[in-house]
Amino acid sequence: MVSVRTGSPAVRSVEWLSADTEGIYVSTRVRLARNLEGFPFPQWAGEEDRLKCRDIIASALTGVHEMSGGILVKMDEISELEREILKEEHLVSREFTAGSTARALSLSRSDDIAVMINEEDHLRMQFIGSGVKVAEGWKRLSGIDAELEKELNFAFSLKYGYLTACPTNMGTGLRVSIMMHLPGLSLMGEIEQVIKGLAGIGLQVRGLMGEGSEAFGNMYQISNQTTLGLPEEEILARVERMASEVAEHERNARLRMLQKRMVFVSDRVARSVGILKNCRMISSGEALGFLSGLRLGVECGILKGIDRKRLNELILLIQPAHLQRLNGAMVSEEKRDELRADLLRQRLKNTRYVG
């Protein structure tokens, strides 16, 4: 079996969860989709073609400077738990973990660049970093793309651009998303209006775990919907610009909330502390909601004994796969709820409300 990670099972440093100074922006993801010319898309390809694609792409990646010193993980050679850990760390999609045959993941040494081989497309290259790093992500991914294009023939049309399994990804094949913590807009009942406004200009809003997920812990991902007919620079600029506008709305919502509803904010934070320090069973969704309350308390200066870095660490540790790795064994959902509560009580014992 190939081990995805070595070292302490407690938690490893996940770069995209290192908080910025303000705390509204959590992380940036930049992704490029590409396919090999002359091969069917993965979901329509036979086993022989998918294995051939995997080997061709893996071989080409060995010559890419950015991926030097990284690792290649064949998904059918790791355990279900290790695949779930990769998903919780946002290095792979949920679809990628569901079927592991002929799929592989190439990880850079710093773990902030991951290349999924044979997901929906032959290649899904992604950068993920903390805060707003749209320019950095694009620069590094476009460099990898240029190096690979010297070795691989990508499916390309003069009319439609890069060809992808899903028509919505055709053209540039570029998706940009920025994850944000938006408790002010959520608690003030304004988040739905913001989501509708973004949808009206071609942007999409998703939850913490990406497509199809709920916005647990008031975490929202803002991304582009259109990849065809727009140059990469315009896509990058639009997502970053709109995220900046959402952040400004969030700051205003927090300010109004503190000025007009301070008792409400204090109650939210105090309840979050009380429940997390005393619960005996708690689901991951519930825990994320209360951790959002703690994060709000830290940012409002009414919570001591914890910082964003440790709160971000807990976002991963309370996820099912990470929790089971800490425990050293696969356990039932009910047992996970107990272990999660035990972990939170232990990690938050010095946290105190000072409002």
Side-chain angles (χ1 to χ4, degrees), residues 81 88 284 316 318-325 336 340:
L81 180 64
E88 290 173 0
S284 56
L316 276 186
I318 65 170
Q319 298 298 320
H322 280 77
L323 200 63
Q324 289 175 114
R325 182 171 66 174
R336 290 200 302 269
R340 187 175 292 110

Side-chain angles (χ1 to χ4, degrees), residues 90-102:
H90 289 200
L91 295 172
V92 301
S93 64
R94 68 177 70 188
E95 292 80 11
F96 197 68
T97 63
S100 59
T101 306

Side-chain angles (χ1 to χ4, degrees), residues 272-288 290-291 294 314 317-320 322-324 326-327 331-349:
S272 297
V273 175
I275 290 172
L276 293 178
K277 291 181 70 172
N278 292 282
C279 63
R280 293 299 183 266
M281 292 181 69
I282 191 167
S283 68
S284 56
E286 281 184 293
L288 285 170
F290 292 125
L291 286 173
L294 298 193
L314 284 172
L317 289 180
I318 65 170
Q319 298 298 320
H322 280 77
L323 200 63
Q324 289 175 114
L326 274 175
N327 185 58
V331 295
S332 67
E333 183 177 349
E334 184 172 325
K335 183 62 177 177
R336 290 200 302 269
D337 289 350
E338 291 182 41
L339 292 172
R340 187 175 292 110
D342 292 343
L343 172 70
L344 288 165
R345 291 199 312 274
Q346 176 189 349
R347 296 297 179 102
L348 298 172
K349 61 184 178 182

Side-chain angles (χ1 to χ4, degrees), residues 22-289:
E22 187 180 26
I24 293 177
Y25 298 111
V26 179
S27 65
T28 298
R29 183 175 71 106
V30 182
R31 191 207 72 198
L32 281 175
R34 298 286 186 263
N35 287 281
L36 299 186
E37 189 177 75
F39 286 91
F41 295 130
Q43 63 265 49
W44 291 299
E47 181 75 358
E48 184 179 348
D49 277 337
R50 281 186 282 134
L51 286 169
K52 190 178 291 185
C53 281
R54 185 185 70 181
D55 293 342
I56 290 171
I57 294 166
S59 176
L61 284 167
T62 61
V64 174
H65 174 73
E66 189 77 59
M67 307 307 289
S68 175
I71 61 172
L72 180 74
V73 180
K74 293 181 178 179
M75 299 300 285
D76 57 354
E77 294 182 359
I78 64 175
S79 67
E80 180 184 353
L81 180 64
E82 287 176 306
R83 291 197 295 269
E84 288 297 307
I85 285 169
L86 290 172
K87 182 184 74 176
E88 290 173 0
E89 293 180 354
H90 289 200
L91 295 172
V92 301
S93 64
R94 68 177 70 188
E95 292 80 11
F96 197 68
T97 63
S100 59
T101 306
R103 286 178 167 171
L105 175 72
S106 179
L107 282 175
S108 66
R109 183 166 49 187
S110 57
D111 283 357
D112 58 355
I113 291 181
V115 181
M116 290 181 284
I117 303 174
N118 282 334
E119 198 234 29
E120 185 178 74
D121 296 294
H122 294 139
L123 289 100
R124 287 269 175 109
M125 302 173 268
Q126 71 170 16
F127 161 89
I128 184 165
S130 63
V132 181
K133 293 184 177 177
V134 173
E136 178 188 344
W138 169 242
K139 180 180 179 180
R140 293 174 65 187
L141 278 194
S142 60
I144 295 173
D145 187 43
E147 287 189 64
L148 286 175
E149 205 149 21
K150 294 176 183 177
E151 302 294 326
L152 304 174
N153 292 321
F154 290 146
F156 185 83
S157 161
L158 291 176
K159 183 177 182 180
Y160 298 111
Y162 290 100
L163 304 180
T164 56
C166 180
T168 60
N169 291 321
M170 285 200 309
T172 61
L174 174 64
R175 292 276 180 175
V176 185
S177 67
I178 298 177
M179 187 185 297
M180 309 178 75
H181 182 229
L182 305 174
L185 290 168
S186 298
L187 296 175
M188 294 294 282
E190 299 169 9
I191 191 66
E192 288 302 322
Q193 183 179 351
V194 169
I195 291 173
K196 288 180 181 178
L198 291 171
I201 58 171
L203 296 181
Q204 191 170 38
V205 180
R206 297 170 173 171
L208 175 65
M209 301 306 292
E211 188 171 1
S213 67
E214 296 182 51
F216 290 121
N218 297 312
M219 295 284 191
Y220 296 86
Q221 294 187 56
I222 297 172
S223 65
N224 62 300
Q225 285 184 308
T226 304
T227 64
L228 181 65
L230 293 174
E232 291 91 344
E233 291 74 15
E234 186 172 338
I235 293 172
L236 296 161
R238 176 181 291 187
V239 174
E240 188 167 357
R241 182 174 65 251
M242 295 314 302
S244 177
E245 290 191 20
V246 172
E248 188 60 31
H249 286 305
E250 171 66 17
R251 292 185 197 98
N252 290 335
R254 291 188 190 189
L255 183 61
R256 284 184 280 111
M257 192 165 60
L258 291 173
Q259 290 174 340
K260 300 178 180 180
R261 304 187 68 189
M262 188 60 201
V263 173
F264 171 76
V265 175
S266 298
D267 181 73
R268 181 83 178 188
V269 174
R271 283 176 184 267
S272 297
V273 175
I275 290 172
L276 293 178
K277 291 181 70 172
N278 292 282
C279 63
R280 293 299 183 266
M281 292 181 69
I282 191 167
S283 68
S284 56
E286 281 184 293
L288 285 170

